[in-house]
Amino acid sequence: MSRSGMRDNRRRLVVIGNGMAGARAVEEILARGGAKQFRITMFGDEPYGNYNRIMLSHVLSGDEDDDAIFLNPLSWYRDNGITLHAGVRAKRIDRFTKNVFSSDGRVTPYNTLIIATGSRSHMPPMKGLYTPGGSVKQGIFGFRTIDDTRKMLAYAQHEQHRHAVVIGGGLLGLEAASGLRRYGLEVDVVHSGGHLMSAQMGPDGGAVLRRSVQALGIGVYTGSRTTAVLGTDKVAAVRLRDRSDIECDMVVMAADIRPNVDLAVLSGLPVERAIVVDDSLRVQDEDDIYAVGECVQHRGQVYGLVAPLWEQAAVLANHVTGADTSAAYHGSRTATKLKVAGIEVASMGLQGPELETDEQIVFSEPSRGVFKSIVVRDNKMVGATLLGDSRKVAFLTQAFDRGLPLPEERLGLMFDLGTPGQEVGVAELDDDAQVCSTETGTKTHILGFLEQIPVGEGRAFAVDGKQVAVFRLRNHTLRAVSAVCPHRGGPLADGTIDGQVVMCPLHQHAFDLATGCSTTGAGALQSYRVRLDREQNLVLETVPV
């Protein structure tokens, strides 16, 4: 029965996992009218709302407060009629009675179930991780949750702690090392691979990256495996195979993450590397169970980036709600652009040539920390690595994603020899590549990468002869409105942002960025839809909301 006393005939939707994938799937379901179809219940291991896990490195470095990275506060669940069991773990699924058994003793029935259990830090096999009592030794940390980050911060700032070792030289490990270095700690990175970020780049790029990381005062040990953590009750040193011990006060495990599949295995669901799903994100051989995110294996692939999660969530929502049962997820072409320890890195496709006919164009300038590699096959780009100079990333991402024909002058792919430069995305390429058109005729324009707009600020773009201001709010929501204040033409992109309100710098008129309405009687702004595509490009729809 509902609160009004009337029978609630909506079906029961249960979501196991309240991280970025689970919450995004629910957002997509709500956007398709799911609140009218389902009573939604969510389980989350952590006692919080959903937060942006990508921003944990910014919290560790002190660039962001931890409360600023929440995407869905607890009030969002209440406002959308969602029952959230925060800090409660789902222990078992009974697929035959359609019940979820949780750690608080609750039994929750479902009609449709979504598993979004994500992934976890992996503790590599080595001696000395645990005390004789079986607990993790003091000074050893994972780097996966907001609580992990808070504990690391507190430990790193203790005056007696002076040296940290980070195990893992990938993206996560380098971000952890850079963040800890800010607190005055001596930091060493130990990586079992032959070069840093071996999943994203080849050895030549890794050598340039190593030089740049060392210039930050971070020690680097590649081709080294940690065999033991020394110390009785707390960390005293790490032991390396074939190298001397490194004395330290704390150890951060950032070598690997593994899909969280224990619940699925216990419940009898098909698991290989992760939970096996089909093109609709439905679990293999299950009619009413779906899975999404880092816990999913689709066509043999497991994705650890955010963009594939977003694509999966949209397809899943179309099937769960019936909005588009023909929707299919065919996998993702992954292209990433990010800053690793303050160093610009972009990677897409192949790291190097694989066929005899493949071309590779390489530019390396180690003294400036710059490395560029582009792989071409059949006059189309099939891979690129850019380190220390990302001015051509917008153009290269489009060439990679769309299979655009390339200029005969290959150096133009790396340098401004007639091909578009830093500020150029699809919107400024030739007419054939300029605009994406949807089935409804709506035009979308790619404005460039998200990182060009700092958190808490706005930027103006010229789109179809109009000025549009795009804002990146503190909660990492994106908003887009007309860039010109209707009162006296003030530049709103330069205005002060308070929550979801921007104040014009000329006469302090305020506008709600969600609606475009002025809160001070200055008229209304046109609002536009703005979102991110899978390469983290800003995508603007030119038809006003």
Side-chain angles (χ1 to χ4, degrees):
M1 301 289 284
S2 67
R3 290 181 179 178
S4 64
M6 299 180 63
R7 181 177 297 277
D8 190 341
N9 293 319
R10 293 177 300 170
R11 301 171 69 230
R12 296 177 182 269
L13 172 64
V14 174
V15 181
I16 301 175
N18 185 38
M20 295 177 72
R24 181 60 175 244
V26 171
E27 288 177 342
E28 295 282 0
I29 288 168
L30 293 174
R32 291 160 176 76
K36 295 180 180 179
Q37 299 182 45
F38 298 105
R39 285 178 282 171
I40 302 175
T41 300
M42 300 183 73
F43 290 90
D45 281 0
E46 298 179 71
Y48 315 110
N50 169 43
Y51 58 87
N52 189 343
R53 207 175 298 277
I54 298 170
M55 298 299 292
L56 289 175
S57 60
H58 295 258
V59 174
L60 180 62
S61 66
D63 292 334
E64 289 282 355
D65 294 330
D66 55 11
D67 60 356
I69 70 171
F70 279 87
L71 301 172
N72 303 93
L74 294 176
S75 59
W76 178 83
Y77 301 85
R78 293 192 298 269
D79 293 344
N80 286 281
I82 298 168
T83 300
L84 173 64
H85 300 301
V88 178
R89 172 168 293 195
K91 303 289 287 185
R92 183 171 63 87
I93 302 163
D94 188 323
R95 297 147 46 219
F96 304 101
T97 63
K98 292 189 174 183
N99 286 308
V100 173
F101 297 81
S102 51
S103 59
D104 60 354
R106 190 185 309 267
V107 179
T108 304
Y110 68 85
N111 300 109
T112 301
L113 177 67
I114 299 173
I115 303 173
T117 46
S119 57
R120 65 179 186 274
S121 294
H122 173 62
M123 293 284 190
M126 66 181 69
K127 297 178 181 178
L129 291 178
Y130 303 95
T131 66
S135 60
V136 174
K137 189 172 292 181
Q138 184 180 349
I140 297 178
F141 301 91
F143 188 21
R144 191 64 186 158
T145 70
I146 199 166
D147 284 339
D148 290 338
T149 308
R150 289 167 173 165
K151 291 174 183 176
M152 269 198 289
L153 275 170
Y155 206 80
Q157 295 178 77
H158 195 288
E159 61 181 12
Q160 294 181 352
H161 298 153
R162 297 184 176 88
H163 196 149
V165 169
V166 177
I167 298 176
L171 166 62
L172 195 63
L174 294 180
E175 289 284 17
S178 176
L180 293 172
R181 190 79 181 92
R182 291 201 181 187
Y183 298 97
L185 272 68
E186 187 177 348
V187 181
D188 290 309
V189 173
V190 178
H191 187 55
S192 61
H195 60 276
L196 296 176
M197 289 191 69
S198 45
Q200 286 79 26
M201 63 182 67
D204 293 337
V208 176
L209 177 61
R210 176 183 185 135
R211 181 169 175 164
S212 298
V213 170
Q214 289 174 325
L216 299 174
I218 298 170
V220 177
Y221 296 82
T222 54
S224 298
R225 188 174 297 278
T226 308
T227 59
V229 178
L230 307 182
T232 305
D233 296 318
K234 64 179 182 179
V235 172
V238 295
R239 176 155 293 163
L240 306 184
R241 185 182 61 192
D242 303 328
R243 293 179 186 261
S244 301
D245 297 348
I246 303 175
E247 293 186 0
C248 58
D249 308 294
M250 63 185 298
V251 174
V252 178
M253 298 292 183
D256 197 8
I257 59 171
R258 299 285 173 88
N260 270 325
V261 296
D262 293 350
L263 172 67
V265 171
L266 180 64
S267 304
L269 296 173
V271 174
E272 294 175 2
R273 294 167 59 206
I275 304 170
V276 180
V277 298
D278 61 19
D279 289 354
S280 64
L281 281 302
R282 186 180 281 109
V283 174
Q284 182 177 290
D285 299 326
E286 297 292 334
D287 292 333
D288 301 306
I289 302 178
Y290 296 79
V292 64
E294 293 177 322
C295 66
V296 158
Q297 177 182 318
H298 173 265
R299 298 190 182 186
Q301 295 294 314
V302 178
Y303 297 95
L305 300 173
V306 171
L309 275 57
W310 286 184
E311 296 171 353
Q312 293 173 7
V315 172
L316 181 153
N318 278 324
H319 283 272
V320 167
T321 62
D324 181 5
T325 55
S326 66
Y329 177 67
H330 299 297
S332 297
R333 300 190 71 183
T334 57
T336 59
K337 177 180 180 291
L338 37 84
K339 280 194 175 183
V340 182
I343 303 163
E344 291 184 327
V345 177
S347 174
M348 60 199 81
L350 302 181
Q351 297 178 5
E354 295 183 347
L355 305 179
E356 290 185 0
T357 54
D358 289 348
E359 301 175 51
Q360 185 178 24
I361 307 98
V362 177
F363 174 82
S364 181
E365 192 175 1
S367 62
R368 290 202 309 121
V370 174
F371 176 83
K372 304 180 184 184
S373 169
I374 295 172
V375 183
V376 178
R377 179 179 297 167
D378 298 329
N379 201 37
K380 296 181 180 180
M381 195 182 77
V382 293
T385 302
L386 301 179
L387 175 65
D389 181 358
S390 61
R391 287 177 292 177
K392 301 293 293 184
V393 168
F395 171 71
L396 292 175
T397 300
Q398 298 308 315
F400 172 73
D401 193 47
R402 299 185 177 203
L404 300 177
L406 302 178
E408 293 183 5
E409 176 56 77
R410 301 300 198 211
L411 286 179
L413 297 171
M414 292 184 173
F415 306 102
D416 293 331
L417 303 178
T419 56
Q422 178 177 12
E423 301 300 327
V424 179
V426 171
E428 293 172 85
L429 296 177
D430 58 35
D431 290 341
D432 290 336
Q434 181 178 8
V435 179
C436 309
S437 297
T438 68
E439 294 179 359
T440 60
T442 300
K443 294 181 179 179
T444 60
H445 295 260
I446 296 181
L447 306 179
F449 279 95
L450 172 66
E451 290 182 0
Q452 64 188 299
I453 306 178
V455 175
E457 297 184 18
R459 180 170 176 184
F461 297 86
V463 180
D464 284 345
K466 299 178 182 179
Q467 287 289 313
V468 177
V470 178
F471 296 89
R472 186 180 180 187
L473 305 185
R474 286 283 176 188
N475 65 358
H476 303 282
T477 300
L478 295 172
R479 298 293 186 193
V481 296
S482 301
V484 179
C485 178
H487 178 236
R488 293 286 181 87
L492 292 177
D494 296 330
T496 302
I497 302 173
D498 183 7
Q500 288 210 119
V501 174
V502 63
M503 185 173 292
C504 178
L506 291 187
H507 300 100
Q508 286 71 56
H509 281 293
F511 298 87
D512 187 322
L513 291 172
T515 64
C517 295
S518 172
T519 60
T520 55
L525 303 169
Q526 283 190 340
S527 297
Y528 298 85
R529 292 187 179 93
V530 62
R531 56 181 171 82
L532 294 175
D533 67 10
R534 61 177 176 266
E535 287 84 28
Q536 297 294 287
N537 286 306
L538 290 164
V539 180
L540 183 86
E541 295 185 6
T542 55
V543 176
V545 177

